[in-house]
Amino acid sequence: MEEIVDAISRAAVRIKRAIEFGDTSYSKSLNKTGDTQLKLDIASDLIIEEEFKKTLCVKAIISEEKETAQTLNEDGKYIVGYDPLDGSSLIDVNLAVGSIFAIYEKEADAKFITAAVYVVYGPRTEMVTAIDDVKLYRLDESSNFKEIKNIKLNKKGKLNASGGTQKGWADYHKKLIDDIFADGYRLRYSGGMVPDLHQILLKGGGLFSYPSTTDAPKGKLRLLFEVFPFAFVFEKAGGKAVDGKKRLLELEVSHIHDTSPCFFGSGDEIERVLNEYAKH
Ligand code: AHG
Ligand code: MN
Ligand code: MN
């Protein structure tokens, strides 16, 4: 696992530089989800591929920016699913973005997730690893990630990050979100799941939701490289992650680019979600 975290750290330093000084324009290609790729999405994907190629333990990689899985080393133990640049449409407005990694053993399946890592490129570059516990690292002046602290969620938080096109929300979802705001929660939503979830994790808790909507019935966020890794992080930090009815880490994947509605948060907020959704 150390070899994988090292590869991610090296990739993160290179991606950070690419974000700061690279070409931020769009390419002519679409990815599997139908998004027009930024040149930076493609560059970040290649950087990560290059760094994983230097490891022996990565058997295959599955990227948001690649149509199919790519085998690197038949004898490797791990399959890594990743979103090389999450929130890349926020680059032109200079908001924080991230990279997300899920490390699977045997198969790319929630049952086999053994670790998750994400990197936030903000005013500072930070990395969070969830292996046995959840640890925050920060990039120092010598381009090394220095351990800062462990991350643990409170039972209840104060922040509400509610995603998805609101006019496409179900009535009961709207009621859930309205009730949460009515209880004094504050809106925190930048449109980048990495900084939005990072904020909830570091400020002790709250709720992030990306529900089923009429325009995206299966949500928007992808299971293998966005939803499962964050579900793993939240559970390891003492929080919960569900699709409205069940644990996200119990969902099956039929295609590598499958998506799911998702809710991440501390215990109390997720209980509210489950209670409201159970009625429908
Ligand atoms: P990506 O840039 O990898 O396509 O993902 C962006 C994701 C995620 O970061 C964010 O939470 C969500 O899209 C935002 O979607 P909306 O603009 O629909 O809120
Ligand atoms: Mn993404
Ligand atoms: Mn992406």
Side-chain angles (χ1 to χ4, degrees), residues 33 54 70 86 103 131 160-161 173 184 193 218 243-244 249 278:
T33 323
K54 297 178 191 162
Q70 183 179 337
D86 177 75
I103 296 104
I131 304 172
N160 190 16
H173 182 77
M193 78 179 302
K218 292 192 160 175
D243 72 350
L249 291 176

Side-chain angles (χ1 to χ4, degrees), residues 108 117 125 137 150 161 171 216 221 269:
V117 178
T125 301
Y137 297 81
N150 273 31
D171 292 346
L221 300 173
E269 289 81 9

Side-chain angles (χ1 to χ4, degrees), residues 21-91:
F21 307 115
D23 182 347
T24 57
S25 62
Y26 280 94
S27 71
K28 292 201 177 74
S29 48
L30 299 181
N31 68 12
K32 184 69 189 158
T33 323
D35 306 324
T36 305
Q37 293 171 304
L38 278 176
K39 288 182 184 161
L40 273 177
D41 286 315
I42 302 169
S44 307
D45 184 38
L46 287 176
I47 289 171
I48 293 167
E49 180 186 324
E50 274 174 27
E51 294 301 337
F52 283 140
K53 277 185 174 158
K54 297 178 191 162
T55 69
L56 290 173
C57 65
V58 178
K59 180 177 179 184
I61 50 177
I62 302 174
S63 163
E64 178 184 287
E65 305 303 342
K66 296 186 198 302
E67 210 155 319
T68 53
Q70 183 179 337
T71 304
L72 298 186
N73 172 17
E74 276 300 346
D75 301 322
K77 181 173 173 193
Y78 300 107
I79 299 160
V80 183
Y82 63 91
D83 179 352
L85 200 54
D86 177 75
S88 52
S89 67
L90 299 173
I91 298 240

Side-chain angles (χ1 to χ4, degrees), residues 116-267:
V117 178
Y118 68 85
V119 180
V120 193
Y121 312 99
R124 297 188 286 208
T125 301
E126 295 186 329
M127 175 171 72
V128 171
T129 61
I131 304 172
D132 297 318
D133 54 7
V134 184
K135 285 196 166 65
L136 171 71
Y137 297 81
R138 187 171 298 141
L139 197 66
D140 68 12
E141 289 153 298
S142 344
S143 290
N144 293 313
F145 280 99
K146 203 171 148 219
E147 189 173 333
I148 305 291
K149 63 172 184 181
N150 273 31
I151 299 178
K152 204 81 201 145
L153 283 162
N154 298 332
K155 213 173 142 289
K156 186 176 186 309
K158 294 184 183 139
L159 307 181
N160 190 16
S162 52
T165 318
Q166 296 191 17
K167 75 168 190 190
W169 287 357
D171 292 346
Y172 54 90
H173 182 77
K174 182 169 168 26
K175 178 181 178 329
L176 168 74
I177 299 299
D178 286 349
D179 287 352
I180 290 175
F181 280 129
D183 285 345
Y185 283 74
R186 280 174 306 182
L187 174 66
R188 290 291 183 271
Y189 191 78
S190 73
M193 78 179 302
V194 176
D196 288 337
L197 287 167
H198 193 56
Q199 178 162 205
I200 288 174
L201 284 161
L202 289 180
K203 302 261 190 209
L207 177 67
F208 174 99
S209 46
Y210 205 106
S212 163
T213 56
T214 45
D215 55 339
K218 292 192 160 175
K220 174 183 181 190
L221 300 173
R222 299 92 174 170
L223 287 173
L224 286 181
F225 19 78
E226 294 175 322
V227 172
F228 291 159
F230 270 112
F232 192 80
V233 172
F234 269 71
E235 289 194 0
K236 287 282 178 194
K240 292 184 178 169
V242 300
D243 72 350
K245 304 258 180 199
K246 55 199 264 202
R247 261 181 87 221
L248 289 166
L249 291 176
E250 283 167 15
L251 298 182
E252 306 275 338
V253 184
S254 24
H255 301 287
I256 61 176
H257 294 275
D258 279 357
T259 61
S260 169
C262 52
F263 301 81
F264 306 90
S266 27

